[in-house]
Amino acid sequence: MISPERTLFEGEVDSLVAPAFDGEVGILGGHAPMMTLLGRGELRLGTGAGGRRFAVVGGFLQVVDDQVRVVTEQATEVGAR
Amino acid sequence: MAKGRELKGRIKSVENTRKITRTMEMVATSKMKRAQDRVVAARPYANALGEVLSRLYSSELAERFPLLRQPARQRRVAVLLLTSNRGLAGAFNANLIKEARARVAELEARGAQVDLHVVGRKGIGFFRYVNRALLTARTDITDRPTAEDAASLVDGLMADFVAGALDGVYVVHAQFRSALSTPPTTTQVLPVQPPARSDAGMQRDYLLYPSAEELLTELLPSYVRNSVYRALAETAAAEQGARRTAMKSATDNASEMLNLLKRTYNRARQAQITQEIAEIVGGAAAL
């Protein structure tokens, strides 16, 4: 997960829910290659040890071979749940 | 011992100067480290964006995007010069200004009208001095440029380019190769030069939401802003690098000068003592 200023998160997750331009999109393992625009909202990562949440604005999301790349204009972490 | 006292004063003053330059060198070193980290941290984003753009890019699509428009003739272009707010960085700002002037002269020779936008007190000072009108003169960008700084700089230019009022935007900035090598360079930001496709093996069928066209519409401005952000970050790091180098050589010069002064002082002191002894011996012999 990358913003212009730094890399915010890198690691394995079980699931990911991102705010796409037209609604939320959820991604699990084995997803088909996809590229989509992001809107404004909350991005949730589901990891083994609970989850992490980020507020993101704009950018895009790319899925290839079980790797998700979130490239966003602005992102800040909203305290762990 | 008038000469001795004078030398002592100079030794003191050079010592004080050396203390200052050495401190500035150390401050610049640590600032450079942080600025350099930011340059490195900005790389994944730029790479990711470049990769995706080159994948989406196709010449059929290019025709339809104003940001990809390749004007046949450049009638009016903008040059954005990035300099530092503070001096004492050796030839850093002078080199940037020189590069900018060369670029402006070259563009004007090709018959373009050049708008000059300058960031940093040093560049502004110079162009004020030569009486050149600046369309933007900003000093509010700090050692830690942000993505918003970049956006505020380039968004207006992008709008002008899309509207057809501008035919090109160039950024003159310092490249951060290493602490010792920070050459000034010019990057063409608009029209966008799509990055070369890195490897064809990565070519995959993607589900694109909403469509390649709309993705490009969103991502092109990001790409332009990011180019400017990178230029800002590199210039900030290069400034500290240049300052460190300049202050290091100033410190070295001061040390060298101190050696010479101390030697001269000691020699003068010794000569005086020898003379005094000679006088006493002479006096004793006369009795």
Side-chain angles (χ1 to χ4, degrees), chain B residues 134-176:
Chain B
L134 304 178
L135 270 87
T136 325
R138 293 186 52 175
T139 56
D140 58 334
I141 290 171
T142 59
D143 291 355
R144 297 157 157 242
T146 61
E148 287 88 74
D149 287 336
S152 69
L153 274 171
V154 81
D155 281 358
L157 299 177
M158 251 195 292
D160 282 352
F161 185 83
V162 170
L166 280 174
D167 298 317
V169 175
Y170 298 86
V171 179
V172 177
H173 64 101
Q175 210 182 338
F176 185 77

Side-chain angles (χ1 to χ4, degrees), chain A residues 5 33 35 62 65 71 73, chain B residues 45 147 204 207 209 222 229:
Chain A
E5 278 143 45
M35 219 183 298
Q62 187 190 15
D65 300 333
V71 178
E73 304 280 290
Chain B
Y45 181 83
R204 296 282 291 268
L207 302 168
Y209 296 111
S222 302
Y229 172 70

Side-chain angles (χ1 to χ4, degrees), chain B residues 100-136:
Chain B
R101 294 184 72 195
R103 194 57 52 172
V104 169
E106 186 193 320
L107 289 166
E108 277 175 347
R110 274 195 256 149
Q113 187 196 334
V114 181
D115 293 350
L116 204 53
H117 302 259
V118 183
V119 173
R121 220 163 264 148
K122 292 290 152 187
I124 294 169
F126 174 81
F127 285 104
R128 286 258 160 82
Y129 175 69
V130 297
N131 264 331
R132 187 171 171 118
L134 304 178
L135 270 87
T136 325

Side-chain angles (χ1 to χ4, degrees), chain B residues 5 12 22 38-39 41-42 45 80 100 127 129 132 137 151-152 154 160 168 186 195 200 218 237-238 248 274:
Chain B
R5 192 165 303 143
K12 195 88 212 141
R22 184 173 285 158
R38 273 193 294 276
V39 171
Y45 181 83
L80 176 63
F127 285 104
Y129 175 69
R132 187 171 171 118
S152 69
V154 81
D160 282 352
T186 309
E218 274 302 304
K248 180 161 171 38
T274 313

Side-chain angles (χ1 to χ4, degrees), chain A residues 2-7 21 31-38 58-60 62-65 69 71-74, chain B residues 41-42 44-45 48-49 51-52 55 146-148 204-210 214-215 218-219 222 225-226 229:
Chain A
I2 308 162
S3 84
E5 278 143 45
R6 63 209 181 92
T7 304
F21 68 104
H31 200 285
M34 178 182 89
M35 219 183 298
T36 184
L37 284 177
L38 294 178
F60 67 95
Q62 187 190 15
V63 190
V64 208
D65 300 333
R69 187 148 64 172
V71 178
T72 170
E73 304 280 290
Q74 268 179 52
Chain B
Y45 181 83
L49 212 51
E51 198 184 298
V52 168
R55 191 163 304 160
T146 61
E148 287 88 74
R204 296 282 291 268
D205 282 335
Y206 280 97
L207 302 168
L208 296 174
Y209 296 111
E214 275 167 87
L215 277 164
E218 274 302 304
L219 299 184
S222 302
R225 271 182 223 124
N226 185 248
Y229 172 70

